[in-house]
């Protein structure tokens, strides 16, 4: 459906997903200058999930059963903890734009993991996978990731963790609706805080206004608003349309990183972005 014919709330949800999730890479890059990465990510998700849970219980939402909580715990570890936590760690070494380009490969990993759960891949999906692998190779040949092999590894593991959670989520019992998002973020946030404590992260100095602003933006906009916009879109439009953020976010992240942080993305990275976006578009293509 053309954007001009979308309901105002649906259009607002699309714009929130495209621009907010695209801008979180910039916010993370700014935030890790003041916060230890796992601590910041843990606070972000614990706060967002806790606030959502409190609001839902106040509205009378039912308490999940043990099986649903187990499913939310698995997804919380794979998606917010591994998927976002490792991205946050990587952005200490890798620019926000390049981080977003690597994370754009999530649909490629999701396609592979989905086969474990019986998904039959179409020819276009395999073509997109092959093209995406070419994009990943191009991206790793560029100077941005060659300068930080550890950052590149963290981003690939983060993408794989988020993709495994996405594929597995269709086969796990979860709390319904927004309650599922709240518990997933709570479990993910707690896993991140435990990991932060385990590796001995410490605040070197009390964060200033910029650090607190980044944490607040990630908590309210990046987690609470964007996640709920995503849930709304999954209920009102096709899954392919709802997941179209995967090939819009990298473009937004690259532009914002260049505009506000002066990040340089070379010709090779731009070519890799074009290839990866085309690959994701092929995978999610429907008539």
């Amino acid at each position: 459906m053309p954007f001009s014919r979308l309901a105002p709330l649906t259009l607002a949800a699309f714009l929130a997903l495209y621009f907010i999730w695209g801008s979180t890479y910039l916010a993370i890059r700014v935030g890790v200058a003041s916060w230890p990465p796992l601590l910041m990510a843990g606070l972000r998700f614990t706060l967002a999930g806790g606030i959502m849970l409190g609001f839902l219980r106040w509205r009378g939402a039912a308490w999940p059963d043990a099986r649903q909580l187990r499913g939310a715990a698995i997804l919380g570890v794979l998606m917010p903890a591994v998927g976002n936590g490792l991205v946050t760690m990587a952005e200490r070494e890798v620019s926000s734009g390049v981080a977003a380009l690597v994370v754009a490969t999530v649909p490629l990993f999701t396609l592979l993991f989905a086969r474990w759960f019986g998904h039959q891949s179409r020819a276009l999906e395999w073509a997109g996978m092959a093209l995406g692998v070419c994009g990943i190779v191009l991206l790793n040949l560029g100077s941005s990731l060659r300068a930080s092999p550890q950052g590149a590894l963290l981003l690939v593991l983060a993408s794989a963790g988020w993709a495994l959670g996405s594929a597995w989520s269709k086969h796990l019992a979860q709390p319904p609706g927004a309650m599922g998002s709240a518990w997933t973020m709570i479990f993910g946030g707690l896993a991140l805080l435990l990991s932060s404590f385990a590796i001995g992260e410490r605040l070197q100095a009390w964060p200033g206004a910029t650090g607190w602003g980044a944490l607040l933006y990630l908590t309210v906009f990046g987690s609470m608003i964007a996640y709920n916009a995503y849930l709304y879109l999954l209920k009102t439009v096709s899954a392919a349309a709802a997941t179209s953020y995967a090939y819009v976010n990298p473009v937004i992240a690259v532009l914002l990183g260049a505009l506000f942080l002066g990040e340089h993305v070379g010709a090779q990275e731009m070519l890799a972005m074009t290839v990866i976006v085309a690959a994701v578009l092929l995978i999610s293509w429907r008539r």
Side-chain angles (χ1 to χ4, degrees):
M1 181 182 295
F3 276 109
S4 60
R5 293 171 57 190
L6 291 176
L9 186 58
T10 304
L11 180 59
F14 268 116
L15 294 177
L17 213 57
Y18 290 172
F19 289 97
I20 292 176
W21 267 358
S23 66
T24 53
Y25 295 93
L26 172 65
I28 289 171
R29 181 72 171 175
V30 170
V32 294
S34 304
W35 294 93
L38 295 183
L39 176 61
M40 183 181 76
L43 289 173
R44 165 192 176 180
F45 287 110
T46 305
L47 287 171
I51 292 170
M52 283 181 61
L53 178 61
F55 175 75
L56 291 169
R57 289 292 293 165
W58 176 69
R59 291 287 302 270
W63 200 260
D65 60 33
R67 189 161 165 265
Q68 292 172 328
L69 288 175
R70 175 180 171 273
I74 292 172
L75 295 183
V77 170
L78 286 174
M79 299 176 78
V82 174
N84 190 271
L86 295 185
V87 169
T88 307
M89 291 184 69
E91 284 207 45
R92 278 194 156 180
E93 304 177 16
V94 177
S95 70
S96 60
V98 171
L101 290 179
V102 178
V103 175
T105 62
V106 163
L108 310 183
F109 286 104
T110 304
L111 179 60
L112 286 178
F113 287 127
R115 288 190 61 81
W116 291 3
F117 301 100
H119 172 74
Q120 297 300 314
S121 303
R122 298 172 295 116
L124 271 181
E125 290 176 329
W126 284 114
M129 173 65 70
L131 190 60
V133 170
C134 294
I136 295 171
V137 171
L138 275 173
L139 191 58
N140 279 274
L141 290 175
S143 59
S144 299
L145 288 183
R146 274 187 305 163
S148 176
Q150 180 182 353
L153 177 61
L154 290 173
L155 289 170
V156 170
L157 291 176
S159 301
W162 188 279
L164 178 56
S166 298
W168 200 350
S169 66
K170 299 181 183 297
H171 305 273
L172 286 171
Q174 302 170 56
M179 183 67 81
S181 289
W183 277 109
T184 297
M185 287 192 283
I186 289 172
F187 282 121
L190 292 176
L192 285 162
L193 292 177
L194 287 173
S195 300
S196 174
F197 177 77
I199 67 173
E201 283 188 343
R202 296 289 185 274
L203 275 173
Q204 301 300 317
W206 195 249
T210 303
W212 283 105
L215 177 61
L216 181 64
Y217 181 83
L218 290 168
T219 300
V220 176
F221 291 91
S223 297
M224 297 171 66
I225 294 177
Y227 273 163
N228 281 293
Y230 185 51
L231 286 174
Y232 171 78
L233 287 176
L234 286 175
K235 294 177 182 177
T236 55
V237 301
S238 70
T243 55
S244 61
Y245 72 87
Y247 47 87
V248 177
N249 286 173
V251 181
I252 300 296
V254 167
L255 292 174
L256 291 178
L259 183 62
F260 291 102
L261 299 179
E263 294 177 348
H264 174 69
V265 177
Q268 191 151 353
E269 285 82 3
M270 293 299 291
L271 177 60
M273 177 174 68
T274 304
V275 172
I276 290 170
V277 167
V280 176
L281 187 57
L282 272 180
I283 287 174
S284 58
W285 179 262
R286 294 289 186 279
R287 286 187 182 274

